[in-house]
Amino acid sequence: MQQDLDKGVMDLIITSKKGNQPDLRYTPFSNERIVLVSGAKSASGPLQTFLLANQFKAAKTWLKEQVWYNTAEDMDTLKKFWHLNFGRHPEFRPNCIVPTICSIVRCLSGGEGFAIVPDFLCRDEIDAGKVKLVWKGQHVLENTLYFGMCTKTIYADEIRQMKEIVEKQAA
């Protein structure tokens, strides 16, 4: 996305990674917390028991046996969360690879399976009981979110409007 932004193909992106292109500007606007979620029908009781007893090895083993969703392009988030909380990279591959994080949330919604996702992308589904917030992690993984935009654009008013909408939603 940053390359497309730099080439002028895109006018505004939301990213957790700042680039160093001279013609792009990154403005922080919010934070995202990376969390473990599951579908509403997924049994997470055994995991909660392991976590409450600080039995992280058992929790890790139990989680590896579950159905996992992820995107092909964002394996880093899963790896970071797993490494931060279990001290190593995951020893499994997700069962279901879908195009976007929003697709993960749709697949989990009302169903079964687990995923590591930013909390704000599934807030409404959690509130509606379609997705369960299973674990924030023993060590919290947070990222700063940035608006990325070209320093020179003819769409300044439109970008300002989009930023206002996103900031309102993120609050």
Side-chain angles (χ1 to χ4, degrees):
M1 286 191 313
Q2 291 178 353
Q3 290 173 348
D4 287 344
L5 185 63
D6 195 32
K7 291 177 185 174
V9 175
M10 293 183 177
D11 297 301
L12 176 70
I13 64 169
I14 296 173
T15 182
S16 60
K17 297 174 185 160
K18 290 173 32 174
N20 56 5
Q21 300 90 335
D23 293 332
L24 300 183
R25 183 175 71 234
Y26 294 90
T27 308
F29 74 93
S30 187
N31 290 321
E32 64 179 1
R33 177 176 282 172
I34 307 301
V35 296
L36 171 64
V37 296
S38 73
K41 294 181 182 176
S42 295
S44 58
L47 175 64
Q48 297 303 328
T49 301
F50 295 137
L51 294 174
L52 288 173
N54 289 325
Q55 296 176 338
F56 293 101
K57 185 176 181 178
K60 180 175 63 171
T61 301
W62 186 87
L63 281 168
K64 289 188 319 186
E65 297 169 357
Q66 306 309 307
V67 173
W68 280 86
Y69 288 83
N70 206 355
T71 65
E73 294 182 8
D74 196 20
M75 290 297 289
D76 285 344
T77 301
L78 171 62
K79 289 177 183 177
K80 284 179 189 175
F81 183 90
W82 200 268
H83 191 269
L84 186 63
N85 288 289
F86 296 115
R88 59 188 330 168
H89 290 302
E91 300 157 340
F92 66 93
R93 293 186 188 268
N95 310 78
C96 305
I97 302 296
V98 296
T100 66
I101 294 173
C102 293
S103 299
I104 293 172
V105 174
R106 279 194 303 274
C107 290
L108 290 177
S109 189
E112 294 184 18
F114 289 82
I116 304 293
V117 297
D119 60 350
F120 76 94
L121 290 178
C122 57
R123 187 178 302 140
D124 292 341
E125 288 80 3
I126 290 171
D127 290 346
K130 296 176 181 178
V131 172
K132 294 188 289 190
L133 173 59
V134 177
W135 190 37
K136 294 178 181 178
Q138 179 182 14
H139 304 285
V140 175
L141 177 57
E142 283 189 342
N143 296 315
T144 300
L145 294 177
Y146 300 91
F147 289 118
M149 63 203 104
C150 292
T151 54
K152 299 172 187 170
T153 179
I154 61 171
Y155 299 109
D157 288 338
E158 292 83 353
I159 290 172
R160 182 188 47 75
Q161 290 174 351
M162 287 297 300
K163 286 172 58 176
E164 288 174 2
I165 291 168
V166 171
E167 287 172 332
K168 184 178 178 182
Q169 185 69 27

